[in-house]
Amino acid sequence: MMFRPATREDISSIDKIYLKIHNKEQNNELKVGWIKGVYPVRKTAVDALERNDLFVYEKNGEILASAIINQIQVDVYQNGKWIYDGNDSEVMVLHTLVVDPDKGGCGIGTKFVDFYENYALESGCHILRMDTNEKNTAARNLYKKLGYREADIVPCEFNGIPDVNLVLLEKKI
């Protein structure tokens, strides 16, 4: 098992994870707050790959999770009630963390956040930020357990999804 930068060959696997999550959301098996065909979509992964900020978790040749890790802060972050402040070069952001829902409950999300934190430290960033939809209680509970503070909840349109209450989270390491 390993974390690594994604390759073009990983895009189909990542897209399948997105689709599994969307299907489970439509069947009321998950509550993430995403919309199939709107966000995330294959282009979400392709754009991140082209920016070189898409990462995957692979085990036995199978992609089980992916996330986007970079220093791009979503525009609504500007008005967030952050405690930890720093210039952009000190902030690392985790976006679109997805775990194959058929493999959930095995600690993969926790391992990915640990990878993110180590990656941030190696990059000289001590301020960590991320966001999630207010509806995504599973993610909110995980991030709280991992020491992230809910800094604010901001109403917005998020990646084409209307009427989102975006939970802004932070941690200093």
Side-chain angles (χ1 to χ4, degrees):
M1 66 184 156
M2 70 172 160
F3 292 94
R4 62 172 174 76
T7 65
R8 186 141 317 269
E9 292 74 31
D10 299 324
I11 296 296
S12 290
S13 296
I14 295 166
D15 191 38
K16 285 178 186 172
I17 294 172
Y18 293 166
L19 290 173
K20 283 182 182 181
I21 292 169
H22 287 307
N23 289 337
K24 287 191 178 281
E25 177 107 20
Q26 284 182 327
N27 294 331
N28 292 316
E29 297 172 51
L30 283 177
K31 197 70 144 167
V32 179
W34 291 341
I35 300 174
K36 189 175 190 174
V38 177
Y39 181 82
V41 294
R42 183 181 191 92
K43 186 174 178 357
T44 306
V46 169
D47 289 349
L49 179 72
E50 290 173 357
R51 287 190 311 265
N52 296 312
D53 57 17
L54 182 64
F55 295 85
V56 295
Y57 175 73
E58 178 183 0
K59 184 175 181 182
N60 299 325
E62 184 180 7
I63 303 302
L64 303 180
S66 79
I68 300 166
I69 302 173
N70 58 36
Q71 293 182 281
I72 300 170
Q73 297 186 64
V74 179
D75 58 351
V76 298
Y77 283 22
Q78 292 176 1
N79 300 320
K81 296 175 183 154
W82 305 106
I83 288 179
Y84 306 118
D85 201 18
N87 61 48
D88 289 346
S89 66
E90 298 172 292
V91 178
M92 190 66 70
V93 184
L94 177 70
H95 310 269
T96 321
L97 171 59
V98 295
V99 175
D100 183 329
D102 297 333
K103 310 292 182 181
C106 300
I108 296 170
T110 298
K111 290 175 187 170
F112 218 121
V113 172
D114 187 54
F115 169 77
Y116 159 60
E117 292 177 357
N118 288 321
Y119 180 83
L121 284 173
E122 290 170 10
S123 301
C125 297
H126 296 277
I127 299 170
L128 305 176
R129 291 186 177 162
M130 63 176 77
D131 58 72
T132 193
N133 192 308
E134 183 180 44
K135 297 175 182 178
N136 192 343
T137 56
R140 292 174 74 185
N141 290 335
L142 172 66
Y143 299 144
K144 181 178 181 179
K145 182 179 97 175
L146 298 176
Y148 286 81
R149 172 189 169 274
E150 291 191 2
D152 207 351
I153 298 178
V154 182
C156 65
E157 179 177 310
F158 183 75
N159 290 310
I161 302 173
D163 304 318
V164 171
N165 286 323
L166 196 65
V167 179
L168 308 182
L169 299 116
E170 68 179 339
K171 182 176 180 178
K172 188 169 187 175
I173 53 175

